[in-house]
Amino acid sequence: QSVLTQPPSASGTPGQRVTISCSGSSSNIGSNTVNWYQQLPGTAPKLLIYSNNQRPSGVPDRFSGSKSGTSASLAISGLQSEDEADYYCAAYDDSLNGPVFGGGTKLTVL
Amino acid sequence: EVQLVQSGAEVKKPGESLKISCKGSGYTYTNYWIGWVRQMPGKGLEWMGIIYPGDSDTRYSPSFQGQVTISVDKSINTAYLQWSSLKASDTAIYYCANRKEGAFDIWGQGTMVTVSS
């Protein structure tokens, strides 16, 4: 049981816009910034979004993040086949004194 | 190029000890925390603990406290994760990652650990 809650799966067709939600509590998302990671099949995770809505260099602007209260969302616009991956949200948890992850969402491009 | 390179895959028997490594290059190693993350087969990411190479300050997730030991040798830019007595349930991929601005921005390639009799 992960501290942050994500839907286990999401899907979309090429060119569509999809969103992935992440729900937490006052001790994590409610009081700290949210990061998102992309894990392509068989590879290490990669930082996709940090500080709620910032993209590291090299991440396409098709990816965007937002946060409101104790929830956050990742949006992917202009969906492409190479976006098929697992996506994880994460935030620091003040009660656990460390970062916590969501359970991950498997994105399928139909 | 900033990178973290981890040691290779390991196959061990229950009860054996193990120490895996994570070597950083391309940046000032002592300035950023290094975290360890577990991914069990077909499962999600779990934070295990984190160490600051500058002074070896170490924090553990409550779930992993007492189960593993995290250490660092800053003279060779290398962090370690070790077990004194492995269990089958330790079978997983272990990632190290550099923590910057509150996020794990650079990840190692992962070390697969298989524990089987």
Side-chain angles (χ1 to χ4, degrees):
Chain A
Q1 188 82 6
S2 301
V3 175
L4 305 181
T5 301
Q6 298 180 234
S9 64
S11 63
T13 56
Q16 261 191 333
R17 181 178 188 271
V18 297
T19 60
I20 297 172
S21 62
C22 176
S23 177
S25 67
S26 58
S27 66
N28 42 66
I29 294 178
S31 52
N32 297 289
T33 59
V34 178
N35 307 310
W36 289 89
Y37 301 90
Q38 177 193 58
Q39 187 175 32
L40 297 170
T43 69
K46 167 192 166 185
L47 180 63
L48 199 63
I49 297 287
Y50 68 98
S51 295
N52 301 328
N53 54 17
Q54 301 299 302
R55 287 185 305 277
S57 174
V59 174
D61 59 7
R62 302 186 296 105
F63 295 91
S64 62
S66 63
K67 178 186 125 171
S68 178
T70 59
S71 295
S73 291
L74 172 71
I76 309 172
S77 60
L79 197 62
Q80 299 180 3
S81 57
E82 55 260 41
D83 298 333
E84 193 159 281
D86 293 324
Y87 292 86
Y88 295 90
C89 60
Y92 191 88
D93 191 290
D94 295 332
S95 298
L96 297 176
N97 288 316
V100 289
F101 290 93
T105 298
K106 184 176 185 61
L107 175 64
T108 301
V109 181
L110 302 169
Chain B
E1 179 193 5
V2 176
Q3 61 178 351
L4 295 172
V5 178
Q6 298 185 229
S7 49
E10 301 275 1
V11 179
K12 293 289 190 179
K13 294 185 184 331
E16 291 186 331
S17 63
L18 176 65
K19 191 174 188 176
I20 63 175
S21 66
C22 168
K23 183 175 177 63
S25 62
Y27 69 103
T28 305
Y29 194 74
T30 51
N31 284 3
Y32 301 97
W33 293 80
I34 292 283
W36 287 95
V37 175
R38 182 177 79 174
Q39 186 167 40
M40 299 179 76
K43 301 298 184 183
L45 306 174
E46 302 173 88
W47 173 68
M48 301 176 71
I50 200 163
I51 189 164
Y52 188 71
D55 62 5
S56 297
D57 185 9
T58 308
R59 319 276 173 84
Y60 292 93
S61 161
S63 298
F64 292 92
Q65 179 82 48
Q67 308 304 308
V68 297
T69 301
I70 295 170
S71 60
V72 67
D73 184 341
K74 63 182 180 181
S75 69
I76 55 171
N77 288 2
T78 301
Y80 302 96
L81 177 66
Q82 69 181 88
W83 296 258
S84 58
S85 181
L86 286 160
K87 303 184 285 288
S89 57
D90 292 319
T91 294
I93 299 175
Y94 294 87
Y95 294 102
C96 64
N98 180 71
R99 191 161 176 85
K100 181 181 177 184
E101 295 184 31
F104 289 122
D105 67 333
I106 303 294
W107 293 67
Q109 83 277 21
T111 295
M112 178 71 217
V113 174
T114 303
V115 184
S116 174
S117 54

